[in-house]
Amino acid sequence: MDESLSSWLALREPADFAARSAILAEAIAQRLDAADPVRVVDLGTGTGSNLRYLIDHLSRRQEWLLVDRDRRLLAELSGRMRLWAEARGYHVSSDGADLLLRRDGRECRIQTRVMDLGALSDDEIFRERHLVTASALLDLVSDRWLCALASYCRANRCLALFALTYNGESYSVPREREDDAIRALMNKHQRTDKGFAPAAGPEASASAARAFEGVGYEVRRDRTNWMLGPESEELQRELIEGWAHAALEMAPENASVIRDWLARRLDHLRQGLSRIVVGHEDLAAWPPGA
Ligand SMILES: C[S@@+](CC[C@H](N)C(=O)[O-])C[C@H]1O[C@@H](n2cnc3c(N)ncnc32)[C@H](O)[C@@H]1O
């Protein structure tokens, strides 16, 4: 596992939870009320953040399949889920490789699967699922992948909920004159191939909306921006350094300008002056009559 990915996911989780659309989560939960148990697949699950957010929105009995290509992230997931659930009063046990969480009549069975979703060449993981979900994934995937996903959801009548898709927008204060140029380089980097063919990047949410509307689904979108202040110093630092790194990859000839910008942004951060808004969207979609 990329250690930095694991710590990045842990670092961003509180900001993700603060930003996510409870309205869209509830719109999905209401439409799944009759499913017992409700069967969910989470794509690109990482260490299971999306499950930790949704578990209390969904009905009492849940069965989750958590899919990621990173075997070590999935191995870390079960320890993190256990700690998280025990701290919230769940009784945690194992049934073979599955993890079982129980609390106040609520029961959640969790399975993990190592799988590269890049090709998405059949719908096996969607069969008999009520909900297909993902968080912080859609900006990595391609338009074509989104069309395949939408048609697999349609074929299996799955509802869909995709959280925290980056939309290409960010605003930082104090302003620096290079902010817009760095964002443009970062957005260009977002469109490179992340293992799913050239990524939809900042267009991903719009592209997902077109794909799901194209198969007759009703689509709802909601803004879920990160609003980061001085309390999120570490997350801001990782973000700023990540932007600089992406910009350097796209424009190595501008290295000295980018490094100078980075030094000034980190200086604002050290002084407690830095605030950053990062644009995200959540998207929910359901088939006619759901
Ligand atoms: C930005 S992380 C989001 C993780 C998690 N959903 C969250 O919100 O914390 C993207 C995740 O997608 C996974 N991923 C990337 N490419 C993948 C692929 N081709 N197949 C399966 N998983 C993939 C990564 O390993 C990573 O866990």
Side-chain angles (χ1 to χ4, degrees):
M1 172 186 46
D2 180 356
E3 287 300 330
S4 61
L5 178 54
S6 165
S7 10
W8 169 247
L9 297 181
L11 190 58
R12 62 175 290 167
E13 187 163 306
D16 285 347
F17 284 14
R20 283 187 65 151
S21 172
I23 290 174
L24 293 187
E26 284 306 321
I28 289 290
Q30 277 171 20
R31 288 170 173 79
L32 291 173
D33 223 22
D36 182 34
V38 56
R39 304 189 72 230
V40 186
V41 59
D42 184 34
L43 309 175
T45 196
T47 63
S49 179
N50 197 18
L51 161 58
R52 287 188 284 281
Y53 180 81
L54 285 174
I55 189 169
D56 290 331
H57 286 276
L58 298 179
S59 66
R60 291 179 164 269
R61 290 207 306 147
Q62 301 169 33
E63 289 181 8
W64 284 73
L65 175 62
L66 306 180
V67 181
D68 204 286
R69 70 176 170 190
D70 191 323
R71 181 179 302 278
R72 284 177 294 177
L73 276 180
L74 291 182
E76 187 183 319
L77 184 150
S78 103
R80 288 194 54 179
M81 272 319 299
R82 192 175 275 278
L83 283 176
W84 179 90
E86 283 172 353
R88 280 155 190 81
Y90 281 93
H91 175 262
V92 183
S93 59
S94 303
D95 179 14
D98 297 0
L99 202 61
L100 294 177
L101 312 186
R102 290 198 188 88
R103 189 185 70 189
D104 305 333
R106 183 182 293 271
E107 181 178 297
C108 180
R109 176 177 288 272
I110 302 167
Q111 286 182 330
T112 58
R113 187 179 310 175
V114 180
M115 185 175 170
D116 190 332
L117 293 163
L120 205 66
S121 53
D122 83 40
D123 71 348
E124 190 269 324
I125 53 172
F126 306 120
R127 281 181 219 143
E128 294 175 34
R129 298 279 155 196
H130 300 104
L131 174 64
V132 174
T133 185
S135 61
L137 180 78
L138 285 203
D139 34 272
L140 306 182
V141 309
S142 60
D143 289 347
R144 200 181 169 137
W145 192 94
L146 287 166
C147 288
L149 176 67
S151 60
Y152 288 143
C153 286
R154 180 73 176 105
N156 293 281
R157 271 194 73 78
C158 304
L159 279 69
L161 179 64
F162 304 114
L164 299 157
T165 306
Y166 173 62
N167 70 1
E169 295 172 9
S170 66
Y171 306 95
S172 308
V173 290
R175 296 277 302 150
E176 287 293 343
R177 65 181 179 283
E178 301 90 346
D179 287 349
D180 293 347
I182 302 281
R183 186 193 318 107
L185 288 171
M186 147 74 185
N187 287 345
K188 194 170 167 195
H189 191 276
Q190 286 285 112
R191 292 190 182 88
T192 59
D193 191 334
K194 307 286 192 301
F196 299 84
E203 294 301 315
S205 206
S207 180
R210 276 194 301 277
F212 278 88
E213 281 163 358
V215 295
Y217 272 41
E218 205 166 310
V219 172
R220 298 270 189 282
R221 294 161 71 177
D222 200 6
R223 284 274 184 157
T224 52
N225 293 350
W226 279 352
M227 315 283 281
L228 308 178
E231 74 292 343
S232 307
E233 184 180 349
E234 207 182 333
L235 182 55
Q236 285 201 45
R237 176 173 300 102
E238 290 285 328
L239 194 59
I240 295 165
E241 288 175 351
W243 287 345
H245 186 78
L248 276 168
E249 269 189 34
M250 290 293 107
E253 66 283 8
N254 293 337
S256 67
V257 176
I258 295 167
R259 292 210 173 93
D260 192 46
W261 170 87
L262 172 63
R264 277 178 275 128
R265 287 246 71 93
L266 292 178
D267 203 37
H268 296 318
L269 190 60
R270 269 189 296 276
Q271 292 182 49
L273 299 173
S274 176
R275 291 180 178 275
I276 300 180
V277 178
V278 181
H280 292 121
E281 269 194 29
D282 287 9
L283 180 152
W286 49 80

